[in-house]
Amino acid sequence: MTGVATALLLLLVGIGIPIAAALFYLGLALGELYAFLPPLPSLGDIAWSTSTEFLFVSIPLFILMGEVLLRAGLAEEMYRALAPRLARVPGGLMHTNIASCALFAATSGSSVATAATIGTIAMPNMDRFGYSRPLFLGSLAAGGTLGILIPPSINMIIYGVLADVSVGDLYLAGIIPGLMMAGLFMVAVWAICLVRPAAGGHGTEVERAPGAWRGLVMVAGLFFLVVGSIYAGFATPTEAAALGVLGAFALAAARRRLNAGVLMEAFEGTMRTTCMVMLIVLAAYFLNFVLTNIGLTRTVVAWVQGLDVPPVVVLAAVVALYFLLGCFMDTLSLMIATTPVVVPIMVAVGYDPLWFGIVFIILIEAALITPPVGMNLFVVQAARGGGPFRDVVVGALPFLVIMVAMIVLLALVPGLALMLPQAFKGGGG
């Protein structure tokens, strides 16, 4: 049954059918093959119950917040504030790329938006200061992935709903691994540039931009408004997203960038992204409904438990599976289609679903820079405006290695993810 489902999905995606349609078709086909009652009449109920999920309201709100900040010019100011402070470190502006991605991720919640925004701002510096093209491009592609690990994160919201895990706990669990990942990326750039000084260019010539620090302070303030309101007990994640939108509007107005043109562009971008995300979510919920009713999830969980292998072997197999699937599926589809099957398996062998959520997000990050369909690779290549695609792929490889190392570190020290959620609960929060 599992083999049939996997083969059908790969076939549908392979022949070029859009992923949302492929998930719908797969659900219909499995329902017919395994004599389940016709699933199509249930589609209306599934669409309604999914669309009225209160937590999903936060998705368009976080997208809108990022859109407004982008068009208000805060991302550019943030980059210009960091550049002169990091330019003298071996690796120069590649550290700025990663740090800017980490900071913008804390407001956009989207890896693709982060890579596109910072990539567009940073790209003119690559040849101007003589950086290694693959490493510079790789720092942007990998830095962009931090958008789904550092809260607030749209992918964490989806995982929380599908795995029945608190989104607030996921946000807390992602802070330390997210900052560590950004730090490890920067250490990797520093080490490579120590070994190969020519790769680090001559970024010490970056000029200071007076007043640019205000953009940095504003972005940090907005992050603490959104995340802090959740942990202060003042707001739910959805309400915090609404506060973030109001804060973004206030910052844009303070910079005199809040006009009809900016609003229309922000609303249009938000609608496009939200429609894409929610269509895939609806399709995945329909497929999960079918999988549950034909018993596939129960069958897979029972089969894994019957193998009688150590939990770490199951974890290693899941990591290998996601690296393989990440080569062929886009990240959102991969996440939504597999979460309801994989999470019960990991829980059955003894792993905490909150801890696994962070490992899972890192695996989704890796899929963003895994060729041939890694979305961030194409986003950075588009921002570059031409040149060999191979440069972006090669440049991302060292950062993939770091992601694997981070997963190993989390397996050895689970407290890196669980420390803050446990401390918060222990403190009466």
Side-chain angles (χ1 to χ4, degrees), residues 8 26 33-34 43 55 94 116 124 189 197-198 302 357 403 411 427:
L8 281 174
L26 179 59
L33 284 173
Y34 294 99
L43 182 56
L55 198 52
M94 289 183 282
V189 169
M403 290 179 179

Side-chain angles (χ1 to χ4, degrees), residues 42-54 56 282 285:
S42 304
L43 182 56
D45 289 337
I46 295 169
W48 174 256
S49 61
T50 304
S51 301
T52 54
E53 170 64 54
F54 181 63
F56 280 154
L282 291 177
Y285 263 82

